[in-house]
Amino acid sequence: MTLTPGLRKLVLTVHLVCSVGWIGAVIAYLVSGLSAVTSHDPPTVRAAWIAMQLTGWSAIVPLAIGSLLTGLIVSLGTPWGLFRYYWVLISFILTVFCTVVLLLHMPTVSARAAVARGADGTALFRLGGDLFHPGVGLLLLLVVTVLNVYKPRGFTPYGWRKQNESGASSES
Amino acid sequence: MRHPRPHYGQCVLTVDTVYRILFLVMTPLPDLPPKGTAANVGARHNTRDYPGTPRWVKAFGIAVVVLLLAFIMIAHGGGRHSPLHHLRSGSDSGHTPAAERVPQP
């Protein structure tokens, strides 16, 4: 199935907005996680955990799912394909990995935020912060961004076969 | 026999020069497809065999394997974090506790 040019641009626009928004939301989450680690003020730590929960469920999760779905539509609906070029395939694998880890990690964040709502003093500071997941996630999303902008050349064996088949059919 | 040398600025258009220009103009340029397409690479190598995995993919794969090994070593070498933490209850998982911080009154 090939998208019409107008529809392709629409889906691509949504995909870009979701992907860039995802990166921005992760940066906001990272700032909250950093505040939870470094702050000595109990209300600030409590607010940071609540903010992480809200940012995660309300922004990061919808944007991640939106980016994954629109990315699938854009790749499958255009000649790029999903398995033809290494940069598309690696971007897809990294996006799926980030989304799965995010969905597995968010219940933990919710549990921590629930504890932070009721905890005080030492119990609150024992919660710590959350820097590992958003840090690695941000790094992977930046890798995906670089791949999508530079589009380094290189067919997969499947893409090479398909390219040759289409070349042969156009010659005959 | 000695040919007279032209002065600077003087245009000498011989029949031979005209033939050369016509030859250059009339010669068709090679009609190669865009760079990176299978037909282009096939034309260069005169074969349609798969050219192999690109170097950047190999380098990327090596980097991923090294990072995964480092992560596994950290997780099994006394580190607190592992993906299994996410599958347990969410009360104590995957977070680095804060350093000793004295709550302000």
Side-chain angles (χ1 to χ4, degrees):
Chain A
M1 184 196 82
T2 306
L3 296 174
T4 59
L7 195 59
R8 188 191 70 84
K9 277 192 177 175
L10 177 68
V11 180
L12 183 62
T13 305
V14 177
H15 178 63
L16 287 174
V17 169
C18 287
S19 305
V20 176
W22 185 3
I23 292 175
V26 170
I27 291 172
Y29 184 96
L30 201 55
V31 170
S32 300
L34 200 61
S35 301
V37 172
T38 57
S39 178
H40 294 269
D41 182 35
T44 304
V45 176
R46 191 176 297 116
W49 272 105
I50 295 169
M52 280 192 272
Q53 184 194 15
L54 289 174
T55 310
W57 285 117
S58 307
I60 299 178
V61 169
L63 288 169
I65 293 171
S67 174
L68 183 61
L69 291 179
T70 51
L72 273 174
I73 296 170
V74 167
S75 60
L76 293 173
T78 60
W80 286 107
L82 186 58
F83 302 106
R84 292 186 178 200
Y85 294 87
Y86 275 111
W87 73 266
V88 180
L89 184 61
I90 292 173
S91 300
F92 174 65
I93 291 169
L94 290 180
T95 307
V96 168
F97 177 75
C98 288
T99 307
V100 169
V101 172
L102 171 70
L103 293 175
L104 286 173
H105 181 58
M106 277 314 293
T108 308
V109 176
S110 291
R112 291 262 160 172
V115 172
R117 280 191 176 88
D120 208 356
T122 313
L124 191 61
F125 287 114
R126 205 176 291 141
L127 287 172
D130 188 15
L131 299 178
F132 178 76
H133 291 92
V136 174
L138 183 62
L139 183 71
L140 293 180
L141 291 178
L142 290 177
V143 169
V144 173
T145 306
V146 169
L147 284 177
N148 279 259
V149 171
Y150 282 89
K151 297 179 176 56
R153 68 175 59 181
F155 285 105
T156 61
Y158 168 78
W160 182 260
R161 201 169 59 246
K162 282 283 174 188
Q163 185 81 7
N164 281 332
E165 282 173 12
S166 65
S169 63
S170 63
E171 282 171 12
S172 61
Chain B
M1 183 181 157
R2 197 173 166 210
H3 295 284
R5 293 183 66 181
H7 297 291
Y8 289 110
Q10 185 181 352
C11 179
V12 179
L13 196 65
T14 62
V15 176
D16 184 52
T17 313
V18 171
Y19 276 138
R20 280 172 193 266
I21 292 170
L22 280 176
F23 177 76
L24 281 174
V25 172
M26 301 289 283
T27 305
L29 291 171
D31 189 21
L32 288 177
K35 269 184 166 183
T37 59
N40 176 270
V41 179
R44 255 192 296 134
H45 295 285
N46 201 20
T47 175
R48 289 211 164 178
D49 291 340
Y50 181 60
T53 309
R55 219 181 316 167
W56 71 267
V57 177
K58 290 176 185 170
F60 188 85
I62 290 168
V64 167
V65 169
V66 168
L67 288 175
L68 272 178
L69 284 176
F71 177 74
I72 290 168
M73 282 170 67
I74 291 169
H76 284 274
R80 286 170 48 86
H81 186 270
S82 81
L84 291 175
H85 283 291
H86 295 293
L87 302 176
R88 297 183 197 143
S89 66
S91 59
D92 182 26
S93 57
H95 296 275
T96 309
E100 289 296 323
R101 280 178 284 167
V102 180
Q104 291 178 345

